[in-house]
Amino acid sequence: DGNQNCNWNQKIMRKKDIVNLVLFLVVLAIGYILHINRTYRHTRSEFKLDTIVELDILSRDKNIESLLDSVFLMIDAFDNRFSYYKTDSELYKINHSPLEKFYISPEFYELLKLGNLVYVQSDSLFDLTVGPLTDIWNIESEIIPAQPEIETAKNRIGFYKISFSDTTLLKSEEVKLNLGGIAKGYIIDRIAAFLERKNIISGTINIGGDILLFGQKKPLNIGIQHPRKERNQIIEVLSVANKAVVTSGDYERFYIKDSIRYHHIIDPKTGFPANRNLSVTVIADKAVIADAYSTAFLLMERNRAIALADSIDNLEALIFYEENEEIKKIGSRRIGEYLLTE
């Protein structure tokens, strides 16, 4: 009997050991899963590209300061390529050289290629050669250029005046390129691609109101600035995931003189700031696409702009305009899928 009791106790102990071991392994497995799925939120903002650059990203790594440093160094590198004002930038050297043939970077070629497409689609209203006009319209000085000065600048403009390949650009000395309507979006896309290669889970990149969301599981709400009220007054709210959202408007940099609003987006055909629409918001897969078309649509007659938006895959647009002293809106065919108020 004693031996039987001893064996029975040993069996009970073995079962307890097995159960404890299983429980230990389960706890260990849960701990490991929680550890590998733990995420950290990182934010950083700096003044770059003459505006505020904001990053808000989710990572499994706790310490990614060097990665964030790399992002802002990347922005500096692109600024040194595309800046209209920095004297050592690739663009500045092209604009201020007496030469007619230039070797260009692959990134420069990509912007010219998209610029050419939108130039044709917008009936030459979106024009990267608008530099001579942006030179004479100094919004900060609040001086309206004289009409002869405007006509002279207009005669120097026309994307048809340049030719380019993937490695070279041909242009006359009078032509000046300005990539301001397209470069920010391109830089945002390159940042997002870099972060995804570095296994960042998700993020929001915001450069002066040009926004790209990636890796999101749920849509985020993005407000559209009211074009005629104080900053932070919202006229519409979008619900968006994993898309770019870019708004161009006549309220961003402007002055009012004799009851007329003068702003920084210049119509190359009239030589004056665009006056057809108040603001345009574009949703697209790529920020560079949203950036270019938001500017183009602001310059275009709105019904033509919406027709063009409807012809482009994975692109939606929302235009606000003024009629009879009332602000109205018109949107592309599927824009209602993104509007919270619809």
Side-chain angles (χ1 to χ4, degrees):
D1 290 342
N3 289 334
Q4 287 181 345
N5 287 335
C6 182
N7 290 335
W8 180 252
N9 289 334
Q10 288 177 346
K11 288 180 181 179
I12 292 174
M13 290 299 295
R14 282 198 296 270
K15 287 181 178 178
K16 284 183 177 180
D17 289 342
I18 293 171
V19 169
N20 288 336
L21 179 61
V22 170
L23 287 174
F24 173 76
L25 291 174
V26 168
V27 170
L28 192 66
I30 292 172
Y32 177 73
I33 292 170
L34 290 174
H35 173 72
I36 63 172
N37 288 314
R38 186 173 183 179
T39 58
Y40 301 90
R41 183 183 178 189
H42 306 273
T43 62
R44 186 189 287 189
S45 64
E46 292 187 19
F47 190 82
K48 299 281 185 183
L49 306 173
D50 201 30
T51 189
I52 300 297
V53 177
E54 297 176 302
L55 299 180
D56 187 343
I57 60 179
L58 204 63
S59 169
R60 290 194 174 89
D61 295 326
K62 188 174 183 179
N63 299 309
I64 62 166
E65 290 304 308
S66 61
L67 180 64
L68 296 177
D69 290 341
S70 297
V71 169
F72 285 94
L73 288 173
M74 180 188 303
I75 293 171
D76 287 337
F78 280 120
D79 195 25
N80 289 333
R81 183 160 290 165
F82 301 141
S83 173
Y84 189 76
Y85 300 103
K86 287 189 173 183
T87 57
D88 59 347
S89 76
E90 180 180 8
L91 176 61
Y92 190 95
K93 290 174 181 177
I94 289 172
N95 279 339
H96 295 84
S97 171
L99 301 176
E100 293 189 348
K101 181 177 180 180
F102 304 90
Y103 291 99
I104 57 174
S105 62
E107 294 84 1
F108 206 100
Y109 167 70
E110 288 185 50
L111 294 189
L112 291 178
K113 186 168 64 171
L114 178 59
N116 183 49
L117 172 65
V118 185
Y119 173 77
V120 173
Q121 291 177 328
S122 67
D123 190 26
S124 71
L125 285 168
F126 182 85
D127 194 336
L128 296 182
T129 69
V130 75
L133 276 173
T134 58
D135 281 348
I136 64 174
W137 279 97
N138 187 331
I139 301 302
E140 284 70 29
S141 69
E142 301 188 7
I143 296 174
I144 301 171
Q147 191 62 40
E149 192 177 11
I150 290 174
E151 293 302 322
T152 299
K154 283 169 58 180
N155 290 334
R156 296 174 57 192
I157 290 170
F159 200 82
Y160 66 90
K161 294 184 177 183
I162 73 169
S163 61
F164 62 94
S165 69
D166 57 346
T167 57
T168 59
L169 165 68
L170 296 175
K171 77 169 192 67
S172 64
E173 189 175 356
E174 69 170 7
V175 174
K176 292 181 75 175
L177 294 160
N178 189 328
L179 305 178
I182 197 171
K184 279 196 300 182
Y186 181 81
I187 294 169
I188 289 172
D189 290 333
R190 292 295 296 266
I191 293 171
F194 171 75
L195 291 174
E196 289 180 310
R197 287 197 304 271
K198 297 298 183 179
N199 299 317
I200 295 300
I201 300 168
S202 64
T204 301
I205 306 166
N206 184 342
I207 299 184
D210 292 9
I211 298 170
L212 177 68
L213 312 170
F214 68 93
Q216 310 286 345
K217 292 183 178 179
K218 295 180 180 180
L220 297 180
N221 294 344
I222 297 176
I224 300 176
Q225 164 78 29
H226 195 295
R228 288 298 179 267
K229 292 186 178 179
E230 293 181 4
R231 190 168 289 276
N232 299 325
Q233 293 287 312
I234 302 302
I235 194 170
E236 191 62 81
V237 179
L238 303 172
S239 178
V240 182
N242 306 319
K243 295 275 187 178
V245 180
V246 176
T247 298
S248 293
D250 68 0
Y251 55 85
E252 294 165 334
R253 290 172 50 211
F254 72 96
Y255 64 91
I256 296 176
K257 199 166 189 176
D258 298 328
S259 301
I260 298 175
R261 179 180 296 251
Y262 298 95
H263 60 95
H264 71 293
I265 300 176
I266 310 300
D267 183 329
K269 293 189 175 182
T270 66
F272 281 80
N275 61 5
R276 291 186 174 94
N277 306 300
L278 305 182
S279 79
V280 177
T281 297
V282 172
I283 304 170
D285 290 338
K286 297 291 185 182
V288 69
I289 297 294
D291 199 6
Y293 284 101
S294 67
T295 303
F297 294 162
L298 189 78
L299 292 160
M300 294 172 67
E301 191 279 319
R302 52 188 160 272
N303 290 313
R304 287 195 63 248
I306 292 301
L308 177 56
D310 283 334
S311 74
I312 300 172
D313 291 338
N314 303 315
L315 184 146
E316 304 300 330
L318 182 64
I319 299 175
F320 289 95
Y321 62 98
E322 193 167 13
E323 189 174 83
N324 300 322
E325 298 184 351
E326 181 182 352
I327 293 180
K328 298 182 178 181
K329 68 181 179 182
I330 182 173
S332 56
R333 190 179 300 118
R334 295 171 298 276
I335 192 64
E337 298 173 11
Y338 297 95
L339 296 178
L340 286 184
T341 56
E342 291 293 308

